Amino acid sequence: MTKHQNNKENSILNAAREEFLDKGYDGARTTSIAKRAGVTHAMLHYYFKCKEELFGRIFTDFISDVATNLGLLFSDSDKPLLERVREGITLHFNYVMANPHLPLFVIREIVSRPDRIDIIKPILVNNVRELTIMLQQSIDIAIANGEITPNIDAPTLLIDMLSLNVFPFLVHPAYQAVVGEEVGEINSFLEQRKQENIELITRRLTPNKQ
């Protein structure tokens, strides 16, 4: 693929990401995506055959970004696991903070159209399986060395990290309405939640000192 073609494809993907996040899968239109990208409708279909293909690619990019970066972090055996966990929580939280509409988009698509899991499932399996296996190996070594408490498994740790990080972005609009938070305080609220998540998870992993 030439540089020009790559730029066109990236423009379409960026426009599709905005369209899907704004309107969801059902509300998104390829004609609107083409307009956002500054290409013709025919050119969009030259790169992507249908809306479902675009949706799959966008979702793949979201998942692979997180899985790849966490994989690189957790594979760094020179750092203690607790330090890698702290950095992993921060990395994922910051990613969601840069894409604040992503959590609601994912949940909305799965809840409103359970059949869409057929598109999402292979993407999750392909990207998360290797991360889970590698993380479990690091956990087992850390347990054996007495760095973390026993009875920790990779799937549970990942779910704890991801769910705690995602939740503030789901509830923040309601929280803001109730407490009357000013726009300038949003970052302060999110930073507080990030530190709280780090504290909660690392405390759970830290062995009790007798």
Side-chain angles (χ1 to χ4, degrees), residues 44-97:
L44 181 147
H45 285 293
Y46 170 79
Y47 288 96
F48 300 96
K49 295 178 181 178
C50 59
K51 185 169 72 169
E52 183 174 296
E53 183 180 344
L54 263 173
F55 176 81
R57 174 63 182 274
I58 295 301
F59 202 90
T60 298
D61 287 350
F62 279 138
I63 298 300
S64 63
D65 279 350
V66 175
T68 298
N69 288 323
L70 287 179
L72 290 172
L73 175 63
F74 284 126
S75 64
D76 185 2
S77 58
D78 291 335
K79 295 180 179 179
L81 182 59
L82 280 176
E83 183 178 344
R84 283 177 274 168
V85 168
R86 292 188 190 96
E87 292 182 10
I89 296 169
T90 299
L91 184 152
H92 177 252
F93 195 99
N94 290 344
Y95 180 83
V96 179
M97 194 170 178

Side-chain angles (χ1 to χ4, degrees), residues 7-25:
N7 289 340
K8 287 292 185 184
E9 181 176 306
N10 286 335
S11 294
I12 293 169
L13 287 171
N14 289 335
R17 186 178 296 109
E18 294 174 3
E19 181 81 1
F20 283 125
L21 290 177
D22 286 348
K23 303 177 182 178
Y25 181 88

Side-chain angles (χ1 to χ4, degrees), residues 193-207:
R193 293 312 311 165
K194 178 169 61 178
Q195 296 306 319
E196 183 72 12
N197 293 348
I198 293 171
E199 175 67 20
L200 285 170
I201 292 176
T202 54
R203 186 185 301 168
R204 166 71 177 88
L205 296 175
T206 303

Side-chain angles (χ1 to χ4, degrees), residues 143-163:
I143 291 174
N145 293 337
E147 296 177 36
I148 64 172
T149 188
N151 304 318
I152 300 294
D153 63 84
T156 299
L157 178 56
L158 285 173
I159 289 173
D160 286 346
M161 290 173 56
L162 302 184
S163 60

Side-chain angles (χ1 to χ4, degrees), residues 168-205:
F169 296 90
L170 296 177
V171 303
H172 184 262
Y175 171 86
Q176 187 176 13
V178 171
V179 302
E181 180 188 44
E182 297 294 332
V183 174
E185 297 175 315
I186 293 175
N187 287 341
S188 177
F189 165 81
L190 292 175
E191 182 63 31
Q192 183 180 14
R193 293 312 311 165
K194 178 169 61 178
Q195 296 306 319
E196 183 72 12
N197 293 348
I198 293 171
E199 175 67 20
L200 285 170
I201 292 176
T202 54
R203 186 185 301 168
R204 166 71 177 88
L205 296 175

Side-chain angles (χ1 to χ4, degrees), residues 82-130:
L82 280 176
E83 183 178 344
R84 283 177 274 168
V85 168
R86 292 188 190 96
E87 292 182 10
I89 296 169
T90 299
L91 184 152
H92 177 252
F93 195 99
N94 290 344
Y95 180 83
V96 179
M97 194 170 178
N99 301 274
H101 301 298
L102 179 59
L104 184 58
F105 166 72
V106 173
I107 292 173
R108 181 176 58 205
E109 295 306 317
I110 293 175
V111 171
S112 65
R113 290 286 298 276
D115 58 303
R116 201 155 290 146
I117 195 67
D118 293 334
I119 302 175
I120 296 170
K121 185 176 179 180
I123 299 169
L124 289 172
V125 170
N126 292 336
N127 286 275
V128 177
R129 177 183 289 148
E130 185 176 346

